Amino acid sequence: MSFKNSLTKHSLFFIFLPLFLLKLIYTRSTILNEFNFFQTIWVEIFFLIFFLALVEFISSQRIKWIVYLTLNFIFSTLILGMILYYNYTGHIATLLMLSEFGQVGTVKGSALQLFKPIHLVLFADFIVLLAIKLFKKPKSSATTHSKNRWFLYGALILSLVMISVSVIANKDTKIARTDLAMKTQGIFTYEFLSVFNKVFV
């Protein structure tokens, strides 16, 4: 199958991948106060490819849209929480910290005071996505035929290899400042290693 056919069959993959990347670029530039486009892509993109490729195995286009929009909302909310937590504490929150963050009323209230209207850019894409969904001509729900899945298998294998390389390369690295750890490792690797070290080490 040609790249053009892959683009057609997996159009949502190619829509949401850059959207998630843009949100990560915004997050890293907000926390680190610097903009490094290529570094952000290199340390973040393979985790995104892995998760989005898994979503692409869903046959029903309608269900796939729902899953993508749900993941998009959860992802946007989590990184907003990460930004607010960092602005309040000066540390990058792990997923466990974020789960506890909402349960501590005083901390939550103080952090929310640091919310800025510009942070709403994390959710601005929902307007465009809903417009695309409403005005796009409906297609057959079964769009992911087995013969078209070579693209997905290739994406999964490539992303798994690169994720493994990143995790192995960083698993013994100790960086005192969490913002520097996130910068060099990437948000996903940082979060993965935080959970791994807490559970298994």
Side-chain angles (χ1 to χ4, degrees):
M1 184 174 63
S2 67
F3 177 76
K4 183 178 179 180
N5 288 334
S6 296
L7 190 62
T8 301
K9 292 292 182 182
H10 307 293
S11 58
L12 292 180
F13 177 93
F14 292 102
I15 290 173
F16 281 89
L17 180 60
L19 282 178
F20 280 106
L21 279 174
L22 286 173
K23 294 185 183 192
L24 289 171
I25 289 172
Y26 172 79
T27 303
R28 287 170 61 90
S29 62
T30 299
I31 291 176
L32 301 173
N33 292 317
E34 65 178 45
F35 178 80
N36 192 321
F37 179 80
F38 293 105
Q39 183 189 31
T40 299
I41 291 179
W42 175 249
V43 297
E44 307 290 3
I45 193 169
F46 296 107
F47 276 91
L48 291 177
I49 290 174
F50 177 77
F51 290 120
L52 299 188
L54 289 178
V55 177
E56 283 298 309
F57 278 97
I58 299 174
S59 297
S60 170
Q61 194 76 355
R62 179 175 176 273
I63 295 177
K64 193 185 296 185
W65 261 105
I66 293 173
V67 173
Y68 268 121
L69 290 175
T70 302
L71 287 176
N72 192 21
F73 179 78
I74 293 173
F75 182 72
S76 301
T77 303
L78 285 175
I79 59 178
L80 174 60
M82 183 178 294
I83 291 172
L84 296 179
Y85 188 94
Y86 179 79
N87 290 341
Y88 182 73
T89 66
H91 298 283
I92 304 298
T94 63
L95 293 177
L96 179 60
M97 291 177 182
L98 286 177
S99 66
E100 297 172 345
F101 178 55
Q103 301 173 12
V104 184
T106 55
V107 175
K108 180 181 178 181
S110 299
L112 286 176
Q113 292 179 4
L114 300 174
F115 177 83
K116 300 177 182 179
I118 187 63
H119 296 331
L120 291 175
V121 71
L122 293 170
F123 299 89
D125 58 313
F126 282 91
I127 299 174
V128 177
L129 292 171
L130 289 175
I132 292 174
K133 179 60 178 172
L134 288 174
F135 295 103
K136 186 178 180 181
K137 185 178 180 181
K139 295 182 179 180
S140 172
S141 59
T143 58
T144 308
H145 195 274
S146 58
K147 70 178 182 180
N148 298 321
R149 292 187 175 183
W150 69 268
F151 167 79
L152 302 181
Y153 291 124
L156 285 175
I157 293 172
L158 173 63
S159 58
L160 275 176
V161 170
M162 297 307 296
I163 289 170
S164 299
V165 169
S166 177
V167 170
I168 293 172
N170 290 285
K171 68 181 182 68
D172 296 322
T173 303
K174 304 297 182 183
I175 303 176
R177 287 180 52 183
T178 57
D179 56 340
L180 292 180
M182 185 201 76
K183 177 182 178 180
T184 57
Q185 298 173 354
I187 292 175
F188 289 109
T189 300
Y190 170 80
E191 293 290 342
F192 177 86
L193 289 175
S194 298
V195 174
F196 180 86
N197 290 332
K198 189 171 185 64
V199 175
F200 297 103
V201 178

